[in-house]
Amino acid sequence: MVFSIRMSRIKESGIRAVQKRIVGKSDIISFAAGLPDPNLYPMEDLRKATEEMFDKEGQKAFSYGLTKGYEPLIQLLVKRMIEKEGVKDCTRDNICILSGSQQGLGLAGLMFIDEGDVVITENPSYLGAINAFRPYGAEFAGVDTDDDGIVIEDLEKVLKENPRAKLLYVIPNFQNPTGKAWTLERRKRFMEVVSKYDVVVLEDNPYGEIRFRNEPLPDLISLDKKAQVVYLGSLSKVLSPGMRIAWVCASPEVAKMVEALKETNDLQSPELTQMVATYYMNMFDMEAHIKHIQQTYKKRADLMVKMIEEHFPKEIKFTRPEGGMFLWLELPKELDSDKILDDAVEAGVAYIPGESFFAHEGIKNTIRMNFTLVTEEQIEKGIKILGDVFKKYI
Ligand SMILES: Cc1ncc(COP(=O)(O)O)c(C=O)c1O
């Protein structure tokens, strides 16, 4: 069988590689996950919403629908974009429903990347996006980040070096993998700088609503004066990832193109889950549900920080998340977190080495830690174990 050249560019994700290393070890405490806690799905309310939807919609829920999405859901998302995300002039023309924001990343690859095009990302960035762009022949240029977000001086340098870059992919809220959020100042300066270039900004925001400390900051799309930002929102982290509901918010021209491409890709996202989500949002207080998620994750993140302070060698740097699902570790430069993982797994703990989140040569002394899919007891126990493992090396 002769496959396309694109297939040779598909890489196994570092995350799957870690999963293989811990498979069959049932008692392992895993900080390697990238998932919301299923115990936080609003199961009872979803059941009631599904029943109500089933009674009212019947066969319609099992039929073909429009590629653009289920109209009542589009209307709810327009309202959300105006009220929560500050996109004052958002209308249905700006929206297309997606089967997860991951689909939006793939479609953005199709829309904006030709062979050899440079895609600019934060360094590190979301592996799923890098891997979605790779098959289209993208070359990557990384921009450094620090505690305040993307480093503007480095952004200017990378844009100057790559004047023909068409796509700039960023996650300003509680980034996967670092958990960092950009400051307001960085957001504003970022928009000032990119507005001088003919580059599309792909703003991926699946974690923005899981802010559990400090006030929400404006999304890039709300600061955009040139219709340069293509925004991806998702219900995966605030309602359920398995429903596969996300949306793009962009200029009407781009939203139409996304719709046309989506038609070739999967015709439509399932009516069934779009309807369940719509009924759920109309019947129940989703904001109260999101608050509950925030409070639960805050407890776990705070506990992880406290345990790290108490049990890790002081040489290890770590982020203090204000939201999202991840915390980022930086070990002393000479250490390789992938090698240490063998010892950690032996001791009963897993994490994701940070190297695979870099498009080029990875930085070997970094680690992504997840705090949403572990209990407080597991955090207490697991961080102590990991501290002992690190002490053997530092
Ligand atoms: C930054 C980022 N973007 C996109 C996705 C995909 O999310 P969805 O479930 O909406 O496809 C994820 C999933 O973890 C993510 O971390």
Side-chain angles (χ1 to χ4, degrees):
M1 220 176 272
V2 183
F3 294 104
S4 70
I5 293 169
R6 284 186 291 280
M7 289 311 293
S8 64
R9 297 171 180 149
I10 305 270
K11 275 179 64 169
E12 184 188 58
S13 87
I15 296 174
R16 249 180 286 144
V18 171
Q19 278 159 357
K20 276 190 199 158
R21 278 154 85 168
I22 62 177
V23 79
K25 296 186 164 61
S26 58
D27 52 351
I28 204 132
I29 297 173
S30 178
F31 300 117
L35 313 171
D37 184 348
N39 293 315
L40 292 170
Y41 305 157
M43 293 305 287
E44 194 47 33
D45 292 349
L46 282 171
R47 191 175 61 76
K48 288 183 188 147
T50 305
E51 276 171 13
E52 178 81 3
M53 182 282 288
F54 206 96
D55 288 346
K56 292 245 167 73
E57 306 293 340
Q59 292 165 339
K60 274 197 237 155
F62 295 88
S63 304
Y64 282 125
L66 299 176
T67 303
K68 187 176 172 70
Y70 178 54
E71 188 62 31
L73 180 60
I74 293 174
Q75 292 305 331
L76 286 174
L77 295 175
V78 165
K79 194 161 171 274
R80 230 174 157 70
M81 290 308 298
I82 295 170
E83 289 172 3
K84 290 201 82 177
E85 313 300 343
V87 186
K88 299 279 174 262
D89 51 359
C90 182
T91 71
R92 69 182 299 286
D93 294 343
N94 302 105
I95 304 284
C96 180
I97 305 279
L98 299 167
S99 301
S101 42
Q102 191 66 36
Q103 182 178 46
L105 298 173
L107 297 184
L110 259 172
M111 278 172 77
F112 296 114
I113 304 172
D114 290 314
E115 289 286 323
D117 273 350
V118 173
V119 174
I120 302 175
T121 68
E122 291 163 277
N123 216 6
S125 186
Y126 171 51
L127 193 60
I130 295 171
N131 286 344
F133 301 149
R134 244 188 243 286
Y136 301 104
E139 310 273 340
F140 293 93
V143 180
D144 289 338
T145 57
D146 63 16
D147 289 345
D148 288 344
I150 199 159
V151 176
I152 301 298
E153 294 69 29
D154 201 39
L155 171 72
E156 284 179 313
K157 180 171 156 278
V158 172
L159 279 166
K160 273 197 191 113
E161 283 168 4
N162 299 282
R164 287 179 31 252
K166 288 193 295 204
L167 190 62
L168 203 174
Y169 170 73
V170 287
I171 314 163
N173 288 319
F174 321 120
Q175 200 224 32
N176 182 359
T178 63
K180 291 176 189 174
W182 299 8
T183 60
L184 178 59
E185 174 66 14
R186 287 288 168 91
R187 290 169 199 243
K188 287 184 176 161
R189 290 197 54 209
F190 173 89
M191 288 311 295
E192 269 167 36
V193 170
V194 297
S195 68
K196 293 182 214 140
Y197 291 83
D198 192 13
V199 65
V200 173
V201 174
L202 185 57
E203 178 180 28
D204 193 7
N205 190 29
Y207 302 106
E209 296 200 72
I210 316 178
R211 176 179 278 281
F212 44 70
R213 193 170 285 113
N214 298 330
E215 288 305 301
L217 295 173
D219 294 326
L220 301 179
I221 191 170
S222 72
L223 304 171
D224 178 16
K225 299 193 177 83
K226 278 179 63 185
Q228 191 174 11
V229 176
V230 175
Y231 173 98
L232 297 176
S234 174
L235 295 186
S236 286
K237 309 300 192 291
V238 291
L239 185 56
S240 136
M243 291 170 85
R244 308 307 300 135
I245 294 176
W247 66 97
V248 63
C249 180
S251 68
E253 181 198 12
V254 169
K256 260 208 161 67
M257 278 190 199
V258 171
E259 188 183 338
L261 278 182
K262 182 177 164 64
E263 189 177 357
T264 68
N265 198 264
D266 66 351
L267 289 185
Q268 63 165 114
S269 300
E271 289 295 277
L272 189 67
T273 56
Q274 292 188 72
M275 284 181 174
V276 172
T278 306
Y279 274 71
Y280 169 81
M281 287 162 87
N282 283 331
M283 287 167 65
F284 299 100
D285 184 353
M286 179 140 132
E287 297 317 306
H289 171 64
I290 294 174
K291 272 220 162 64
H292 176 53
I293 296 177
Q294 291 166 349
Q295 284 159 0
T296 310
Y297 289 170
K298 177 177 188 297
K299 263 203 207 151
R300 293 178 194 172
D302 288 353
L303 179 62
M304 189 175 271
V305 166
K306 178 176 152 287
M307 293 301 292
I308 287 175
E309 283 171 341
E310 285 171 14
H311 296 278
F312 278 13
K314 296 293 164 252
E315 291 81 355
I316 296 178
K317 287 193 353 192
F318 59 95
T319 54
R320 292 164 193 273
E322 294 182 0
M325 309 200 326
F326 306 108
L327 185 151
W328 186 246
L329 302 179
E330 262 184 71
L331 311 183
K333 281 219 156 35
E334 65 281 8
L335 295 185
D336 180 342
S337 62
D338 191 62
K339 295 214 169 101
I340 299 175
L341 181 61
D342 287 334
D343 263 5
V345 170
E346 190 64 35
V349 179
Y351 54 74
I352 303 284
E355 189 180 6
S356 51
F357 298 99
F358 294 81
H360 295 297
E361 272 300 273
I363 297 184
K364 292 192 184 301
N365 60 321
T366 53
I367 287 174
R368 188 189 78 175
M369 298 279 285
N370 165 267
F371 52 79
T372 62
L373 207 64
V374 271
T375 62
E376 290 174 32
E377 294 71 39
Q378 286 175 318
I379 293 172
E380 287 189 342
K381 194 169 162 210
I383 296 292
K384 270 191 210 155
I385 295 173
L386 206 49
D388 287 340
V389 171
F390 290 148
K391 279 175 197 157
K392 287 201 247 160
Y393 293 86
I394 298 169

